[in-house]
Amino acid sequence: MEPVKFILNNAKHSYIFLLAIFVLLATALSSANAKVHEHEFVVQATPVKRLCKTHNTITVNGQYPGPTLEINNGDTLVVKVTNKARYNVTIHWHGVRQMRTGWADGPEFVTQCPIRPGGSYTYRFTVQGQEGTLWWHAHSSWLRATVYGALIIRPKEGEPYPFPKPKHETPILLGEWWDANPIDVVRQATRTGGAPNVSDAYTINGQPGDLYKCSTQDTTIVAVNAGETSLLRVINAALNQPLFFTVANHKLTVVGADASYLKPFTTKVLMLGPGQTTDVLLTADQPPARYYLAARAYQSAQNAAFDNTTTTAILHYSHPHPHHHHRHHQTRPLMPPLPAFNDTNTVTAFSRSFRSPRRVEVPTEVDDTLFFTVGLGLNKCPRSFNATRRCQGPNGTRFTASINNISFVLPNNVSILQAHYLGIPGVFTTDFPARPPVKFDYTGKVSRSLWQPVPGTKAHKLKFGSRVQIVLQDTSIVTPENHPIHLHGYDFYIVAEGFGNFDPKKDTKKFNLVDPPLRNTVAVPVNGWAVIRFVADNPGKCLAYALSLGRSYWMGFGDGIVGGERSREIAIHRAPSGGSASLLESFQHNHGFKYRGLIFS
């Protein structure tokens, strides 16, 4: 029996050897198919006419919106950014995990110092394990209002979508337009402490649509053929506003969000917080005609001013006969019904429909639990102001956003990542609280003594590889509001959402630890909470900005000085020895209109 045993052992080892060779060859083949895409971005002022007026708008390569970048899973992007504008600029690749490439993430004075006028910087990173729709945008002051574009990540060459392949794919970028220089808008708000002026229009692919003055001729057209299915890659690139989106007489089948696939479900309306993306299939199964695509605000903050206009594009059924095509243009497109501005029930039903396609490896045990209260505050007017120069917040105060009662102050001469790696003292501290310093009725009537956030550039350390849970709790300070929160460098599972104050005894039973959706931005419910989980596995420092969105929050600057502007944010930062950063980012990537938290992991 010994020879037989010897032969079997040899056969076993040969099999293992051949299997190893096969795996190596498959890996090499996969790497060989991966490509490097090189681009040049020139940031510059360009005349752009909207709403009857021409503005010298900051753009990339003279385009508004900027170029769409298309890659496959596993490819590398190399983008040289040259700044020919008169403002500092950085570019953030929203949702890219940036594994060991934290220097390429883009937040100004967080992962890098800004690209000064006349300077350039080259971003280089690989997108691995992500498929779907992401986007890129400026991460410096309010340049993001016009400096943004789509980032499309298709499956690896030869691999299919997990749904029937669509005939056409169309990016739908929802934006916000000011009939003014956006930098002037935020500077005025920063100077006065009041809320920034609301936008004058929303846009679809840079165009307001024919419900606005001087906009009919340039309304965005989305062409479809009867009976065919298209993939719409919807991106909310608006600076401040969560948006409803719908298409007249057509159902939308949601198949992905934030570059992760979802268990398909059908809906008539989407809601996207700023920064979120949603991939939907649309079948042209209606009588050939023209139908509006439309978007308008979801406004959850009571008594807060907001842009209540509606942007439109036109879904146009193509026709082979020219006279039919001409007749088409004589008919006004069909307008879809849109939810009421404050329709939180529709938002809740929509968000609860999200599931991963199959069972996922969500952390079932947790090593580090954080509790973040997200809210607005009011700080006293600085002594430098006098009777003739009052702050313009309520009762002469300044609006200030905060997390756990700390409002982030951005550095202005060295980035946090640089300070972390080089051991430069005095840039940030690591004492950001893991929970609110004072426990209170978060969504009830809050004592005025808790309305004044404390400025600081603080971080919270996480151990590399730790399993992390963050409870994100809205507060009713000044006003409750739906808050988009974005995590830089990480995707996370949204395991539960609810209303009122989070109750660990009762609400833990609601956790979905089987197939929760994987996202990079969560919309924390108004007067409610959301719980996210992730593994701190991204070494190198990718920041996590804890953020919030919403009109009232975008008043969140305060006493810190950022690039010569007063600004307020909050940093939650975690860093292991030699570790990475991941920033939870207040989704107005605008200095002073967000809560930010740095998380080094």
Side-chain angles (χ1 to χ4, degrees), residues 147-162:
V147 177
Y148 62 85
L151 172 55
I152 295 172
I153 310 163
R154 295 194 172 87
K156 293 180 179 180
E157 284 192 20
E159 294 187 6
Y161 290 123

Side-chain angles (χ1 to χ4, degrees), residues 224-521:
V224 294
N225 295 321
E228 294 183 349
T229 297
S230 296
L231 176 64
L232 303 184
R233 299 177 177 273
V234 188
I235 300 166
N236 186 356
L239 200 66
N240 298 320
Q241 192 65 56
L243 294 168
F244 289 117
F245 173 82
T246 190
V247 181
N249 280 29
H250 290 73
K251 293 179 180 178
L252 304 172
T253 301
V254 177
V255 293
D258 294 357
S260 292
Y261 294 121
L262 293 168
K263 189 174 294 181
F265 68 93
T266 300
T267 181
K268 288 186 177 180
V269 64
L270 313 179
M271 196 290 285
L272 297 92
Q276 291 186 321
T277 73
T278 307
D279 292 341
V280 297
L281 296 176
L282 178 148
T283 300
D285 56 3
Q286 296 301 301
R290 302 170 76 214
Y291 301 88
Y292 273 133
L293 298 84
R296 75 175 185 187
Y298 164 50
Q299 176 64 0
S300 57
Q302 292 184 3
N303 303 319
F306 70 102
D307 180 351
N308 64 1
T309 61
T310 301
T311 180
T312 56
I314 297 172
L315 188 75
H316 177 84
Y317 278 65
S318 298
H319 279 277
H321 305 297
H323 67 280
H324 283 164
H325 183 76
H326 176 74
R327 191 174 63 201
H328 239 18
H329 282 273
Q330 308 309 310
T331 59
R332 188 171 181 83
L334 187 66
M335 188 70 185
L338 278 156
F341 294 114
N342 62 350
D343 189 350
T344 295
N345 288 340
T346 290
V347 174
T348 303
F350 178 66
S351 65
R352 288 180 177 173
S353 300
F354 282 60
R355 294 283 187 276
S356 286
R358 59 193 65 83
R359 189 181 186 94
V360 292
E361 294 183 8
V362 58
T364 53
E365 302 293 327
V366 173
D367 303 308
D368 208 337
T369 298
L370 306 176
F371 190 102
F372 292 166
T373 54
V374 182
L376 193 62
L378 299 175
N379 274 6
K380 292 181 180 179
C381 204
R383 291 180 180 176
S384 58
F385 280 52
N386 54 42
T388 61
R389 192 167 169 248
R390 272 171 61 86
C391 288
Q392 293 181 9
N395 300 317
T397 59
R398 295 179 66 85
F399 283 112
T400 307
S402 76
I403 291 178
N404 284 358
N405 205 46
I406 295 176
S407 192
F408 182 68
V409 178
L410 207 61
N412 63 0
N413 57 8
V414 62
S415 75
I416 291 172
L417 183 55
Q418 183 181 3
H420 171 64
Y421 273 119
L422 300 182
I424 300 171
V427 178
F428 66 90
T429 60
T430 56
D431 57 345
F432 185 85
R435 53 197 54 84
V438 177
K439 189 174 181 180
F440 57 97
D441 181 2
Y442 308 115
T443 55
K445 189 167 184 177
V446 183
S447 167
R448 288 295 181 109
S449 64
L450 298 173
W451 283 37
Q452 296 83 38
V454 178
T457 308
K458 297 176 180 291
H460 178 84
K461 287 187 177 181
L462 284 183
K463 185 178 179 182
F464 177 75
S466 60
R467 297 162 295 184
V468 183
Q469 173 175 294
I470 304 179
V471 178
L472 298 160
Q473 173 71 61
D474 182 30
T475 70
S476 57
I477 297 176
V478 182
T479 181
E481 188 169 8
N482 181 285
H483 300 293
I485 305 289
H486 170 56
L487 193 64
H488 283 229
Y490 287 92
D491 289 324
F492 49 77
Y493 291 107
I494 304 174
V495 298
E497 295 178 0
F499 293 97
N501 297 333
F502 177 73
D503 182 341
K505 293 180 181 177
K506 179 181 64 176
D507 293 328
T508 303
K509 297 174 184 176
K510 303 175 184 176
F511 285 8
N512 175 6
L513 301 179
V514 177
D515 60 352
L518 188 65
R519 304 294 302 264
N520 64 53
T521 304

Side-chain angles (χ1 to χ4, degrees), residues 183-196:
I183 302 298
D184 292 342
V185 174
V186 69
R187 282 181 174 172
Q188 179 188 4
T190 304
R191 187 170 58 250
T192 65

